[in-house]
Amino acid sequence: LALDLQESLYSSKVLNAVKPEKDVDGLSSINLGRLIHGDAYNYLVPPAACAVMELLEDLGGKTVLLVGASGAVGAALQCMLQREGAVTVSCQWKAPQLQTKLHDADVVVVCSTKRDDVLLSWIKPGTTVISCSLHLLSERWIQSQQYRKWDLRCLKLQPLSPVPSDIEISRAQSPKAVDVLAKEIGLLTDEIEIYGQTKAKVRLSLLERLKDQPDGKYVLVAGITPTPLGEGKSTVTIGLVQALTAHLSINSFACLRQPSQGPTFGVKGGAAGGGYAQVIPMEEFNLHLTGDIHAITAANNLLAAAIDARILHENTQSDKALYNRLVPAVNGVRGFSAIQLARLRRLGIYKTDPDTLTEEEVRKFARLDIDPSTITWQRVVDTNDRFLRKITVGQAQFDIAVASEIMAILALTTSLQDMKERLGKMVVANDKKGEPVTAEDLGVTGALAVLMKDAIKPTLMQTLEGTPVFVHAGPFANIAHGNSSVLADKIALKLVGEKGFVVTEAGFGADIGMEKFFNIKCRASGLVPSVVVLVATVRALKMHGGGPNVTAGAPLKKEYTEENLQLVAGGCCNLQKQIQIAQLFGVPVVVAVNIFKTDSAAEVDLVCKIAKQSGAFDAVPCNHWSAGGGGAVKLAQAVEEAARQKTSFKYLYSLELPIVEKIRIIAQKVYGAQDIELSPAAQSQVDRYTQQGFGNLPICMAKTHLSLSHQPERKGVPTGFILPISDVRASIGAGFIYPLVGTMSTMPGLPTRPCFYDIDLDPITEEVKGLF
């Protein structure tokens, strides 16, 4: 226990609260008394005093000035110096004779922080000066705890060829116990909540403890417009942090989204990275994790039920009966709850006694008058269930759980208080006067926060090489911003320290995920990115260069498995465009070419050459999938070098611009559209949101990720198109307006042959099989 007291509290009353037998620093009155009275054996000397005496020799006859000395340390020093034959003089910094005493001293011992106007010229040449300022020493000790390199035991990899399946690789590695990992990276025992052997929740109190710690470097992994197979952004993210931490001994953290059960059992399989660059245990990563998505499902559907219940009860009861049930007498006493008092204040009613409201005030308080035709709040389930797109329950349909606004709020919130406020601001419908109705109006905010109180804490896991990973939030990358949580990034940036790196990943292509990261997530967090890593594959570039369609589950055509420099060169236009998009924000770009075994050296060299010619800071081939972090060392070095560059980060648009103008800027500058075209319904919603005071929110475009345009089949860099905006919706709690480009489904469907055909459980060993 290091006790760092203010000088005003540095009194014997405080120090003597410690039992003498526990006083290892010799600061209590009992120890000091034994020292002064010459008890030769039965006393302890303050370490600072011992250190001063160790440094000084031949003190006989010398004048030693103690400046700012007080309490046990000062008294001990004076006693020990006098025993060695020194003449001791004490003086405080504010004393008028300080300058004279400093000039006359042979030795000056500084025991407290120096006054700013004291000049070094006051001390005569040749004087020995020793600083034992307790404040300075404690600051240095605290810094040594905060800024140290992690004492991390990395796990060894023995890559095999051919590379086994992801789950076989995951099982072949023995992860560290999560409490061991937590200790290695500087977490305290009471800052983690352990879930099993290999994952733990991290408490937000850590942010307060490390609030004065400088942040590390902030790196975003984005990608070019992908094929339906994906181009390995998660794998690059994991490979990069494995290279930084396990191979270059630089503190680094990966921050990833939690995968949804829908795609896991549907079209994608696991989402923990891949090959020798993945999060382990991968089956725990992909299946439930710590239950955050289930908490979101429960909170979302509680709010949906509250809407229906309120409409029913308002339709079937008089004002008086409704009011009496909303504010019942409990044990003969009638009172408003805290959330009801807040609603009264919003209505301009400042009464606290339920029996004093007028009939008009009762009606205003009790009736929300929800217009059922305006309800926007959907029920959710974390499964790809196509049937639920059309089924109607009252006036609502179903979305996948990760499309819930509550998930977007989880990803963008900065504290528990902020999350509560955001949950309360969620607009679920309009009333019959056209005014928004919120979760706060329904009185459900506190209950939603209770369901989300554990989900707000990031989950700590590890990579195959034993480096730390935060898994937190997984907002839909279409109608939400598709990035992991602000809180995970903020905590990780404190834990890595000033010279460390936090690598986070954006969903889909850079035109969607990266643009939303900069314009939405960075606004919410206040964090400034240092580098963009843009992931490209030869396969995707060939597709953009005119190659045949790539279909999930179907074998690749020969154009993708044989060398074809013409297709690669033709497709690099997409890579060039995505580099240019990153440069709009003033952030340096490092291109990571994710290598597949069918890629030729000439193809990879061509991509790197074109990327550098197109303005990338560097372009590096990466073999992390087959070699682990060792295959991404060159990428890590390039990122480290790029992070030293001066950035001129800027947002793409001002929030003060009209909604339509912000949409147009994204369409033209990012997608390359000629202009936008709003449907009458979309224009009507824009007018409504502007009138309701929501016009100053950022824009979160809901668009296909398979093309820079709104048409998935248009590859490369489409130009001259008009971007159709079919509808405009709002996530007021999350804090953005989301226009729908064309038709966007918020409930995916299962393919003909879903991944669940391959997933099984061994009833004897309880091992999961077939998960990617």
Side-chain angles (χ1 to χ4, degrees):
L1 175 66
L3 182 62
D4 185 22
L5 299 172
Q6 299 174 21
E7 286 189 22
S8 61
L9 296 176
Y10 216 90
S11 65
S12 58
K13 180 180 179 182
V14 175
L15 297 175
N16 290 333
V18 180
K19 291 181 179 179
E21 60 268 28
K22 293 182 180 178
D23 178 21
V24 297
D25 284 340
L27 298 176
S28 68
S29 296
I30 291 176
N31 263 317
L32 184 60
R34 288 170 179 168
L35 169 64
I36 293 172
H37 288 99
D39 188 335
Y41 303 104
N42 194 23
Y43 66 82
L44 293 166
V45 180
C50 285
V52 171
M53 297 308 297
E54 186 77 21
L55 291 169
L56 296 175
E57 296 176 349
D58 302 326
L59 287 169
K62 289 185 178 179
T63 300
V64 180
L65 175 64
L66 304 176
V67 187
S70 60
V73 175
L77 264 174
Q78 196 158 5
C79 175
M80 296 171 77
L81 287 164
Q82 288 171 355
R83 284 185 189 173
E84 294 296 321
V87 177
T88 61
V89 181
S90 292
C91 187
Q92 297 302 316
W93 289 111
K94 295 180 180 179
Q97 65 272 38
L98 174 64
Q99 183 174 352
T100 302
K101 290 187 175 183
L102 282 170
H103 187 269
D104 292 342
D106 301 304
V107 177
V108 177
V109 180
V110 178
C111 297
S112 63
T113 307
K114 180 175 79 70
R115 209 173 73 205
D116 290 340
D117 59 350
V118 174
L119 304 176
L120 287 176
S121 60
W122 293 3
I123 301 172
K124 67 184 178 185
T127 302
T128 301
V129 181
I130 297 175
S131 173
C132 63
S133 165
L134 290 176
H135 180 67
L136 180 64
L137 292 172
S138 63
E139 274 192 357
R140 285 180 178 172
W141 180 84
I142 291 168
Q143 287 174 358
S144 73
Q145 300 304 302
Q146 291 183 332
Y147 304 152
R148 65 187 172 87
K149 277 195 173 181
W150 292 336
D151 183 19
L152 195 71
R153 178 182 65 85
C154 294
L155 305 178
K156 299 295 182 185
L157 281 183
Q158 294 180 322
L160 301 176
S161 184
V163 177
S165 70
D166 290 349
I167 201 163
E168 287 175 306
I169 293 172
S170 175
R171 289 238 177 85
Q173 184 66 287
S174 297
K176 293 178 284 189
V178 72
D179 58 331
V180 172
L181 173 64
K183 185 176 181 181
E184 289 176 342
I185 61 174
L187 288 163
L188 305 179
T189 304
D190 63 355
E191 289 173 340
I192 62 170
E193 298 170 2
I194 295 175
Y195 283 65
Q197 295 295 311
T198 55
K199 54 187 183 291
K201 287 283 193 183
V202 175
R203 293 177 179 164
L204 306 189
S205 58
L206 176 67
L207 281 172
E208 176 61 25
R209 175 168 71 88
L210 298 181
K211 65 183 178 182
D212 297 324
Q213 166 103 318
D215 287 346
K217 302 290 187 181
Y218 197 29
V219 179
L220 175 71
V221 176
I224 64 169
T225 304
T227 69
L229 306 177
E231 309 316 309
K233 290 194 306 295
S234 300
T235 311
V236 169
T237 300
I238 300 302
L240 175 55
V241 295
Q242 288 181 173
L244 284 165
T245 307
H247 297 267
L248 298 179
S249 298
I250 299 170
N251 294 356
S252 74
F253 237 106
C255 292
L256 298 177
R257 288 181 292 168
Q258 178 185 349
S260 165
Q261 175 184 301
T264 296
F265 286 97
V267 295
K268 283 185 68 176
Y276 287 100
Q278 58 172 303
V279 182
I280 57 170
M282 70 94 75
E283 55 264 57
E284 291 191 24
F285 179 98
N286 285 296
L287 302 173
H288 305 295
L289 200 63
T290 48
D292 294 355
I293 293 180
H294 301 315
I296 288 162
T297 302
N300 185 101
N301 293 343
L302 173 63
L303 180 52
I307 297 167
D308 294 340
R310 188 59 175 259
I311 291 172
L312 169 71
H313 294 307
E314 287 190 24
N315 285 343
T316 56
Q317 299 180 48
S318 66
D319 291 350
K320 183 178 180 181
L322 184 62
Y323 181 68
N324 287 340
R325 286 184 171 88
L326 287 170
V327 194
V330 179
N331 297 325
V333 178
R334 199 175 185 198
F336 294 113
S337 68
I339 202 165
Q340 289 176 327
L341 286 170
R343 172 165 166 75
L344 284 169
R345 288 193 293 272
R346 289 196 305 278
L347 293 170
I349 303 169
Y350 296 94
K351 297 177 180 177
T352 56
D353 183 350
D355 295 323
T356 61
L357 267 66
T358 65
E359 286 186 11
E360 176 59 20
E361 289 171 339
V362 164
R363 194 202 67 75
K364 284 175 67 177
F365 170 80
R367 295 205 174 272
L368 297 180
D369 282 333
I370 294 171
D371 180 352
S373 68
T374 66
I375 294 173
T376 54
W377 198 257
Q378 312 274 65
R379 284 166 172 78
V380 299
V381 62
D382 193 33
T383 303
N384 289 1
D385 194 337
R386 189 178 281 104
F387 183 71
L388 293 178
R389 292 177 186 171
K390 301 296 182 183
I391 191 169
T392 299
V393 181
Q395 293 295 319
Q397 296 176 357
F398 276 80
D399 290 336
I400 194 166
V402 289
S404 170
E405 183 177 352
I406 297 176
M407 174 62 93
I409 287 172
L410 177 67
L412 290 169
T413 193
T414 54
S415 67
L416 195 54
Q417 180 62 34
D418 178 61
M419 183 176 74
K420 278 188 66 177
E421 291 172 4
R422 287 174 178 270
L423 291 171
K425 290 177 183 176
M426 293 187 300
V427 174
V428 299
N430 292 326
D431 64 19
K432 290 169 183 174
K433 294 179 180 176
E435 295 300 314
V437 177
T438 65
E440 185 79 1
D441 292 325
L442 285 159
V444 75
T445 307
L448 299 181
V450 167
L451 288 171
M452 294 293 294
K453 71 180 179 65
D454 293 317
I456 196 174
K457 303 164 191 170
T459 300
L460 176 66
M461 294 187 76
Q462 64 195 283
T463 68
L464 276 166
E465 296 189 55
T467 69
V469 177
F470 273 144
V471 187
H472 199 214
F476 213 57
N478 279 340
I479 68 163
H481 61 293
N483 285 263
S484 63
S485 79
V486 165
L487 277 170
D489 292 354
K490 280 180 170 284
I491 293 173
L493 284 163
K494 295 298 183 188
L495 286 171
V496 298
E498 192 170 11
K499 295 180 181 178
F501 285 80
V502 171
V503 184
T504 189
E505 176 197 345
F508 292 159
D511 54 302
I512 303 180
M514 182 184 70
E515 181 270 313
K516 294 176 182 178
F517 172 85
F518 288 142
N519 282 319
I520 298 174
K521 186 177 178 181
C522 288
R523 288 186 202 265
S525 68
L527 299 173
V528 177
S530 303
V531 184
V532 167
V533 174
L534 192 62
V535 179
T537 62
V538 169
R539 176 178 69 193
L541 292 171
K542 285 180 175 179
M543 178 190 71
H544 289 295
N549 286 340
V550 176
T551 306
L556 288 169
K557 304 284 175 58
K558 65 181 179 60
E559 287 87 347
Y560 297 104
T561 57
E562 298 174 1
E563 182 175 284
N564 192 321
L565 296 175
Q566 185 177 349
L567 281 181
V568 173
C572 278
C573 59
N574 187 270
L575 173 60
Q576 292 171 312
K577 173 64 175 175
Q578 301 287 18
I579 292 171
Q580 290 165 9
I581 295 170
Q583 290 173 332
L584 290 173
F585 298 92
V587 183
V589 179
V590 174
V591 172
V593 184
N594 190 17
I595 302 295
F596 288 76
K597 61 184 178 182
T598 53
D599 300 343
S600 75
E603 289 173 330
V604 173
D605 289 345
L606 179 61
V607 176
C608 292
K609 178 183 175 183
I610 293 174
K612 291 175 189 176
Q613 291 173 345
S614 304
F617 176 83
D618 204 349
V620 185
C622 306
N623 292 294
H624 47 273
W625 181 81
S626 58
V633 168
K634 288 184 179 179
L635 173 63
Q637 291 168 334
V639 167
E640 190 182 9
E641 185 65 29
R644 295 193 186 103
Q645 308 302 304
K646 280 192 174 180
T647 59
S648 53
F649 176 69
K650 54 186 177 294
Y651 298 116
L652 187 65
Y653 52 79
S654 165
L655 294 181
E656 308 304 316
L657 291 172
I659 292 173
V660 172
E661 188 56 32
K662 287 182 282 195
I663 297 171
R664 181 175 284 111
I665 288 172
I666 295 172
Q668 292 178 335
K669 291 191 175 182
V670 177
Y671 307 154
Q674 180 180 326
D675 204 350
I676 61 173
E677 183 178 65
L678 272 69
S679 70
Q683 185 62 59
S684 173
Q685 286 293 77
V686 166
D687 295 341
R688 183 185 295 273
Y689 294 141
T690 303
Q691 182 267 325
Q692 291 177 340
F694 303 139
N696 288 347
L697 293 175
I699 303 299
C700 186
M701 301 288 277
K703 180 185 81 72
T704 179
H705 61 293
L706 297 174
S707 171
L708 284 163
S709 74
H710 58 289
Q711 297 166 301
E713 67 278 5
R714 295 188 69 177
K715 307 302 181 184
V717 182
T719 57
F721 60 92
I722 304 297
L723 193 76
I725 309 299
S726 59
D727 198 1
V728 176
R729 300 176 189 171
S731 291
I732 304 304
F736 53 73
I737 302 291
Y738 63 97
L740 274 67
V741 180
T743 56
M744 294 300 302
S745 174
T746 54
M747 171 54 78
L750 290 171
T752 305
R753 190 188 186 283
C755 293
F756 61 63
Y757 274 90
D758 302 309
I759 297 171
D760 200 0
L761 181 71
D762 187 314
I764 298 172
T765 64
E766 296 187 14
E767 279 195 346
V768 176
K769 298 178 178 179
L771 191 63
F772 212 67

